[in-house]
Amino acid sequence: MSFSSTKKMVTEEGSDGREDVQSLISFLSAVVPNFPSSSWNAPLKTGRVTHIVIICLTYPGIYYPQHNIPLKLSAPKNDFELLLRHFDYCHKQNSVQFTLLNDFDIDFTDSTGVERGIERTDTSRDSIRCAIQKIMCTAEPNAKIVFFFGGHGGIAEVNMMGGTSGDECDFQTIIAGDGRRIYGKELRSWFCEARYPTISVTTVFDTGNSAGSLGLPYTYYVKGGSVKATEASRNVVRIPMVQISATQSNQLAWSKRFEDVYYGLLTHSLVQYLKSNDQPTIEGLVDHLSKKCDPSGAQLPQLSLGFNLRIRP
């Protein structure tokens, strides 16, 4: 089993389901709009997110298989708090259903001034699977779900069936809190267990080796100053789905110090874009991440969708 290492750069720096997919880019603003059918860079009109799943892992006491090297990370704990604040998480009842899976304890003061500890939870592979399947099987029609994973990703030597041949996404994994791998195709299958085809899912992976891991059919990138689409696979996805990945499939995910606190580059860049844009767009987000997430080019984020925005059914 191979893993990516999330390293630190020490640098000082201060509608219907298909329409939902086109507009899920405002997911981190806790809204999911109905995107106009004619243009993908038009302003977004908002609708509420109903479920938010945040999984942030620091891997205490977990080691690389066959190596005496710890998997321990530090940035995901800071990302966890950043996301809670951005999503306006409250200790009391909230209209949005939060599922928090974290392998650390944290004291958090919410926007109402309530200070309370958030205890560590079971972050094993089985716990992550059960949490996703429960949400997908109980969510109501038109539910809009955000799934965030911050931790390690990797490329396995064999696919889910134990074979050594197949598409690149057949070998891409994330690493659960118990050190066990979860294949991207498994995650996609769990999301696709949704009771209703109008349930929309936006996934965010702040982890290495993550681009295209869900096997979604279309990828978006910047070329010649504009955003282009390319067909990445022929997989059919039965629900509207978006994947925001921190890196290409052969890259590491990095953290960076912002005002003396380390954050994952993707998480910080994503939140900053949404905070600074009252009308976020898919094209704007792709352009922002390609230029701002890591200007050095060592980490290139990627956006993938379940279908081509320019091809209307």
Side-chain angles (χ1 to χ4, degrees):
M1 181 188 301
S2 63
F3 296 82
S4 70
S5 299
T6 305
K7 299 181 179 179
K8 299 176 181 178
M9 292 190 298
V10 182
T11 306
E12 290 288 350
E13 275 200 4
S15 69
D16 65 43
R18 292 185 184 277
E19 288 178 339
D20 286 336
V21 166
Q22 297 183 72
S23 55
L24 277 166
I25 286 317
S26 60
F27 58 107
L28 283 182
S29 300
V31 291
V32 181
N34 294 318
F35 195 87
S37 61
S38 60
S39 173
W40 67 337
N41 65 349
L44 304 174
K45 301 177 183 179
T46 62
R48 297 296 302 176
V49 158
T50 57
H51 301 73
I52 298 174
V53 182
I54 302 177
I55 305 173
C56 287
L57 304 179
T58 59
Y59 304 96
I62 305 296
Y63 290 78
Y64 285 90
Q66 302 176 347
H67 301 281
N68 191 30
I69 303 175
L71 286 173
K72 187 172 176 61
L73 300 173
S74 59
K77 187 173 183 178
N78 299 324
D79 293 340
F80 185 73
E81 185 168 357
L82 179 66
L83 292 169
L84 292 180
R85 295 193 185 285
H86 186 74
F87 284 126
D88 196 24
Y89 172 80
C90 295
H91 291 296
K92 298 180 179 180
Q93 188 65 30
N94 193 304
S95 60
V96 178
Q97 296 183 35
F98 282 85
T99 299
L100 305 180
L101 298 176
N102 46 289
D103 59 4
F104 47 82
D105 298 323
I106 188 171
D107 292 324
F108 181 74
T109 302
D110 66 26
S111 59
T112 68
V114 175
E115 182 177 359
R116 188 177 301 169
I118 299 176
E119 297 182 350
R120 68 185 65 194
T121 60
D122 182 358
T123 59
S124 66
R125 170 194 159 86
D126 288 341
S127 178
I128 293 173
R129 174 182 56 80
C130 289
I132 294 173
Q133 290 178 326
K134 180 180 179 180
I135 292 171
M136 302 313 296
C137 290
T138 58
E140 297 297 323
N142 301 312
K144 298 166 178 61
I145 299 164
V146 173
F147 172 88
F148 176 91
F149 180 86
H152 279 295
I155 307 295
E157 289 84 7
V158 296
N159 59 31
M160 289 171 54
M161 307 305 295
T164 56
S165 61
D167 296 330
E168 188 174 48
C169 64
D170 294 339
F171 302 89
Q172 291 172 272
T173 68
I174 58 174
I175 310 305
D178 57 359
R180 297 172 65 193
R181 59 165 65 106
I182 301 174
Y183 286 87
K185 279 194 169 183
E186 289 182 287
L187 279 172
R188 190 182 78 219
S189 71
W190 297 344
F191 291 128
C192 287
E193 291 178 9
R195 282 197 302 168
Y196 303 102
T198 56
I199 294 175
S200 305
V201 178
T202 295
T203 62
V204 184
F205 294 88
D206 199 343
T207 175
N209 309 115
S210 51
S213 61
L214 296 181
L216 301 184
Y218 292 97
T219 295
Y220 293 83
Y221 61 97
V222 175
K223 182 178 180 180
S226 61
V227 178
K228 307 291 185 180
T230 184
E231 186 174 357
S233 76
R234 296 188 176 182
N235 293 323
V236 177
V237 183
R238 65 176 295 268
I239 64 171
M241 194 176 298
V242 172
Q243 179 179 0
I244 302 291
S245 305
T247 71
Q248 299 301 298
S249 59
N250 60 348
Q251 292 182 322
L252 304 178
W254 297 75
S255 61
K256 187 175 180 178
R257 191 167 63 190
F258 297 90
E259 297 180 354
D260 296 326
V261 178
Y262 278 103
Y263 296 105
L265 276 176
L266 176 70
T267 303
H268 188 272
S269 182
L270 208 50
V271 171
Q272 293 306 307
Y273 170 74
L274 292 163
K275 282 183 175 180
S276 61
N277 287 271
D278 293 333
Q279 295 181 320
T281 66
I282 290 177
E283 188 169 33
L285 178 59
V286 173
D287 184 67
H288 172 84
L289 293 179
S290 68
K291 296 176 180 177
K292 303 294 185 180
C293 181
D294 182 8
S296 74
Q299 176 179 333
L300 298 175
Q302 180 172 297
L303 169 70
S304 301
L305 297 182
F307 79 105
N308 193 340
L309 291 182
R310 297 187 182 280
I311 301 176
R312 302 300 296 174

